[in-house]
Amino acid sequence: MEHITFKGMADGVRINLDDTAGIFELLDELENKIINSKAFFGDGDCKICFGGRRLSASDKERLCELTMRLLPLCRISFESDLKKSIPQTDWMLAYKEKGKEKPKEEHEPVTEQKEDFISVFRSNRARLYQGVLKSGATLRSDGHLVLLGSVEEAASLIAVGNIIVIGGLYGTAHAGCNGHNGSYIIAMDMHPEGLAIAQTAEEYTYSDETAENEDTDTVKKSIFDRLRRKNTEQDVVEKSDNEPVSAIALLKNNKIQLDNFTFEDFTN
């Protein structure tokens, strides 16, 4: 008996999961179906939406890990995460108004918070590049990206997974470019022009820069042109004239945050 069915959509594939089967039974069947349907998925650069049953965060993570291993270019979503608009009939509106008249309890009941799902890219593939990435150049990786060197201003790093710079990051970096919001960016000297993780991006300015005197028409276009979200109140790791600032960029509450970083903290 088949527990998984594929249905083509205008912008991708819907994978329907039987709610009577166990998650590990579904994972085995999904792996076999994807392997035997390579022609159906093509190069795998498509949207995939899982539906048909309720899924826990651990179930979603297992499905993402398996699917990304077989189709690393795909973009995954879950039907249960999509907001569904329910028509507001007259009796529903009246019921809501009636509920508002109820006296407020002294102790408000604790509401269960929605489980936040993090899409992490897991792969054994990593591109290693050694040298200085010159201004205007772009370096891409369909897995993780490790740079032994520095990224000059107006140069860009783009990776499906994580980005690690064993040197200075003075240009832009975009990790999790296919939507993996659990990706991170590490640099031994973190002073970027801009950072992006999944679909969230930040620009950074420093007090010793004279951007006001520059002609905005001459600014080079980059991946941040379509993700630009200027935040003048953001906290930026302070620049030091004496030594580099090692930092890690993570996505927290839909905002990129920079934390101090050491390899000891990261590996322990």
Side-chain angles (χ1 to χ4, degrees), residues 237-264:
V237 176
E238 293 185 359
K239 188 171 184 179
S240 171
D241 294 331
N242 298 324
E243 61 183 37
V245 177
S246 299
I248 180 170
L250 299 166
L251 190 61
K252 299 179 181 178
N253 299 321
N254 295 320
K255 181 180 178 181
I256 295 177
Q257 294 188 11
L258 293 177
D259 295 331
N260 291 331
F261 167 82
T262 64
F263 277 109
E264 290 77 9

Side-chain angles (χ1 to χ4, degrees), residues 216-233:
T216 55
D217 293 336
T218 63
V219 177
K220 292 180 181 289
K221 292 185 177 180
S222 68
I223 56 171
F224 294 91
D225 288 343
R226 62 184 176 85
L227 296 174
R228 195 174 299 278
R229 183 168 66 85
K230 186 71 174 179
N231 185 351
T232 57
E233 299 179 356

Side-chain angles (χ1 to χ4, degrees), residues 192-193 203-209 211-212 230-232 234 236-237:
E193 295 174 313
E203 286 184 289
Y204 299 92
T205 57
Y206 304 96
S207 58
D208 60 345
E209 293 182 352
E212 306 86 26
K230 186 71 174 179
N231 185 351
T232 57
Q234 63 191 344
V236 179
V237 176

Side-chain angles (χ1 to χ4, degrees), residues 118-122 143-144 159-163 174-186 196-198 248-252 256-257:
I118 301 297
S119 175
V120 180
F121 177 76
R122 291 183 172 85
H144 305 301
V160 175
N162 307 317
I163 294 176
H174 186 181
C177 64
N178 280 1
H180 306 287
N181 56 0
S183 300
Y184 56 80
I185 302 169
I186 295 174
I197 296 177
I248 180 170
L250 299 166
L251 190 61
K252 299 179 181 178
I256 295 177
Q257 294 188 11

